[in-house]
Amino acid sequence: MAEAIYENLPFENLYWSQMETLPREEMRVLQLERLRKTVDKVRHLPLYREFFEKTKLSGDDIRSLDDIRRLPFTTKAQLLENYPFGHLLIPRHEIARIHGSSGTKSKPTLMAYTRKDLETWANLCARFLYAGGLRSNHLVQVSFGYGLFTGGFGLHYGIECVGAGILPAAAGNTPRQIMFMQDLKTDGLIATPSYAMNIAETVRDMGIKPHELALKFAHFGAEAWTEEMRQVIENLLGIKAFNNYGLSEILGPSISGECWYQNGMHIQEDNFLIECLDPETLEPVPEGTPGELVITNLNKEATSLLRYRTRDIAILDSSPCRCGRTTQRMGRIVGRSDDMVVVRGVNLFPTQIEEALLRVEGVTPHFLIKVERPGAMDEITVQVEIQESHFSDKMSDMDELRRNILHQIQVVTGLRVKLELAAPQTMQRFVGKAKRLEDLRDLHNVQSSQGDKK
């Protein structure tokens, strides 16, 4: 199928936009021009006014892309301090759409869009969807939620931009999702990887074989997932699964996405300038070294952010890709700097546990990590669900499975953990972002201090 898309088509049909194959030097010139304009646009915003009044910097002072290091960082906390629109660049009556974060822990970070922003967004999503095989004759099932969340709308309009058909199924009601796949013979699936895993397992449990579905490909985003999880989903559904990346504060899904070769996500560099920094020192890390992604908008009208700290950890890769695109690529998100926990001096990401679990036959990707400190030492407990085919009442079989899981966790993380095996279909399924980590150490400290006061 890769040959059908990349080798048997005329050159002009390989790419959605000429920006995807722009020579590197021309891309850098474009990025610098847009960065200078962005600086002049945002320097009078409440979000940045104090910095620019103090430094007197303007777009004319940005002589090279390296000068981005002279500009301030932006954090989510600052956006909340300037809620709702201390970063708005346009009059309120020119707003065409508002999206934002869910606001589950605080008020949401709201971002505005002009009509041109919406058109840009749709085209950027169309790029990676097209790169992953989407064509105008396909019908795509969007199983993302619709609302403030940018995922559903971004991919929806990206699919429309390509000219393909859409089934806006939204998230949830998995049997109904599978009924649509069977009856309407949908070609593609849009979802979070954890919900796609839920769909794939239900398909298997219903006795449906992959060839009985018309699905060819899927595009997953909104949460970190591993290569091992990709392989499981691809095998269960008989598809190719592609990764994409975005966040609501910047534009939504659009920042990057994989081509057919699944060798990293191509960054839309004409719209975003991405740095990869050490999250502690905020200095650049060498290419190929994991670091925090820091992103600057280059082409958004309603809101533009300078050096937004995403907290997402990934690597950057400038090596050539077989597809012919010249843009820099980023690896999958391995975790978040604010989701990472330090346990006994070791950095631990939930994706590491997922990677270890999926190395063991008979284990599902449904798990929960609990970090506690009942005494002086941290304790990690991993709860993991066992596949029905490997769940046994024979103690020896379960002990062997337990040993294999513990071994793989130690190989991947270097940590010894406690393990709780859960029966099939007993752990929570997620239709949105999956919750994988509970750090209960602060809770224990609070309870302990309250006990001391008594």
Side-chain angles (χ1 to χ4, degrees):
M1 193 168 180
E3 289 74 14
I5 291 179
Y6 283 102
E7 295 177 15
N8 296 336
L9 288 174
F11 177 82
E12 61 269 20
N13 290 337
L14 295 180
Y15 313 106
W16 184 253
S17 167
Q18 64 178 358
M19 288 297 178
E20 298 174 85
T21 57
L22 201 66
R24 295 298 304 158
E25 187 56 39
E26 291 184 34
M27 180 63 78
R28 285 190 285 268
V29 170
L30 177 63
Q31 286 182 311
L32 179 58
E33 176 186 341
R34 290 184 170 179
L35 176 60
R36 297 176 75 177
K37 289 181 179 178
T38 298
V39 168
D40 284 334
K41 283 196 304 183
V42 306
R43 61 198 302 263
H44 301 296
L45 290 176
L47 186 62
Y48 300 116
R49 186 181 297 136
E50 182 179 352
F51 172 85
F52 283 105
E53 286 179 351
K54 181 178 180 180
T55 63
K56 308 300 182 184
L57 279 173
S58 71
D60 290 339
D61 298 309
I62 307 301
R63 305 295 178 84
S64 73
L65 292 179
D66 289 338
D67 283 338
I68 195 170
R69 298 178 66 185
R70 302 175 65 183
L71 300 176
F73 292 101
T74 310
T75 65
K76 188 165 188 174
Q78 289 172 303
L79 294 179
L80 292 174
E81 288 170 7
N82 287 271
Y83 175 91
F85 281 141
H87 51 283
L88 188 63
L89 291 167
I90 59 173
R92 185 176 179 275
H93 68 269
E94 292 182 14
I95 295 174
R97 179 92 60 76
I98 294 173
H99 282 287
S101 64
S102 60
T104 53
K105 296 181 180 179
S106 62
K107 288 186 176 181
T109 51
L110 299 178
M111 309 305 291
Y113 299 71
T114 64
R115 297 198 182 282
K116 184 180 177 183
D117 289 335
L118 294 175
E119 181 180 337
T120 299
W121 188 19
N123 271 280
L124 293 179
C125 288
R127 287 186 194 178
F128 68 74
L129 290 166
Y130 195 84
L134 178 65
R135 294 298 183 266
S136 60
N137 61 310
H138 290 145
L139 177 63
V140 183
Q141 189 162 326
V142 180
S143 298
F144 266 148
Y146 285 78
L148 275 181
F149 173 58
T150 54
F153 282 97
L155 276 293
H156 182 111
Y157 289 113
I159 296 165
E160 279 191 347
C161 195
V162 173
I166 301 172
L167 173 65
N173 199 339
T174 303
R176 186 167 176 260
Q177 300 273 356
I178 296 169
M179 178 191 73
F180 285 145
M181 292 176 184
Q182 292 176 302
D183 295 348
L184 302 180
K185 301 190 183 306
T186 47
D187 302 283
L189 173 66
I190 306 295
T192 62
S194 55
Y195 187 51
M197 188 69 211
N198 190 2
I199 292 173
E201 289 182 327
T202 306
V203 165
R204 178 197 62 199
D205 295 343
M206 292 172 66
I208 301 171
K209 304 300 181 185
H211 69 270
E212 295 174 352
L213 298 174
L215 284 179
K216 302 175 181 66
F217 56 85
H219 291 267
F220 302 145
E223 63 187 18
W225 55 307
T226 61
E227 187 63 30
E228 288 77 11
M229 190 171 184
R230 188 208 310 256
Q231 292 171 6
V232 171
I233 294 173
E234 288 186 336
N235 291 335
L236 287 176
L237 292 179
I239 60 172
K240 290 199 74 165
F242 300 96
N243 202 2
N244 67 78
Y245 174 72
L247 59 161
S248 61
E249 293 86 351
I250 297 299
L251 186 62
S254 62
I255 293 171
S256 64
E258 287 181 318
C259 70
W260 196 259
Y261 295 106
Q262 301 172 313
N263 188 29
M265 292 176 277
H266 291 270
I267 298 169
Q268 320 283 16
E269 293 184 280
D270 54 319
N271 282 262
F272 312 104
L273 184 57
I274 295 188
E275 305 167 79
C276 192
L277 308 181
D278 183 306
E280 298 297 328
T281 67
L282 297 179
E283 292 295 321
V285 299
E287 184 168 302
T289 302
E292 181 183 333
L293 301 181
V294 175
I295 306 178
T296 298
N297 285 111
L298 296 179
N299 195 34
K300 193 165 184 280
E301 289 186 334
T303 57
S304 285
L305 300 183
L306 300 176
R307 309 189 79 190
Y308 183 72
R309 293 194 61 183
T310 68
R311 304 292 181 176
D312 291 326
I313 305 296
I315 65 170
L316 298 183
D317 183 0
S318 299
S319 64
C321 182
R322 292 163 60 195
C323 74
R325 289 172 177 81
T326 56
T327 48
Q328 191 177 40
R329 303 188 308 283
M330 56 177 277
R332 63 176 62 249
I333 302 301
V334 298
R336 290 178 54 82
S337 59
D338 51 1
D339 277 350
M340 179 190 79
V341 290
V342 180
V343 184
R344 303 173 209 150
V346 177
N347 295 343
L348 176 66
F349 292 103
T351 50
Q352 292 175 290
I353 298 296
E354 179 179 282
E355 177 186 345
L357 294 177
L358 290 176
R359 291 182 178 186
V360 181
E361 186 178 358
V363 175
T364 76
H366 305 294
F367 67 94
L368 178 65
I369 308 163
K370 291 186 178 181
V371 184
E372 301 175 275
R373 186 177 294 159
M377 294 288 291
D378 293 335
E379 290 185 2
I380 310 170
T381 302
V382 176
Q383 298 175 339
V384 59
E385 183 180 291
I386 306 305
Q387 292 180 12
E388 190 167 355
S389 58
H390 286 71
F391 196 72
S392 172
D393 55 4
K394 290 181 62 176
M395 187 67 71
S396 58
D397 291 344
M398 299 306 290
D399 284 345
E400 182 179 359
L401 183 59
R402 181 185 297 273
R403 284 193 296 271
N404 290 339
I405 296 171
L406 290 171
H407 173 70
Q408 289 300 334
I409 290 176
Q410 186 170 12
V411 167
V412 173
T413 68
L415 294 167
R416 294 182 181 275
V417 304
K418 293 182 178 180
L419 187 64
E420 295 179 1
L421 302 182
Q425 303 298 320
T426 58
M427 295 199 68
Q428 183 179 357
R429 267 53 173 172
F430 297 89
V431 296
K433 295 184 180 182
K435 182 179 180 181
R436 301 299 193 194
L437 176 67
E438 290 184 359
D439 190 346
L440 305 175
R441 289 175 293 186
D442 289 340
L443 178 61
H444 282 297
N445 290 338
V446 168
Q447 293 173 338
S448 176
S449 63
Q450 290 175 342
D452 291 342
K453 290 177 184 179
K454 292 178 182 179

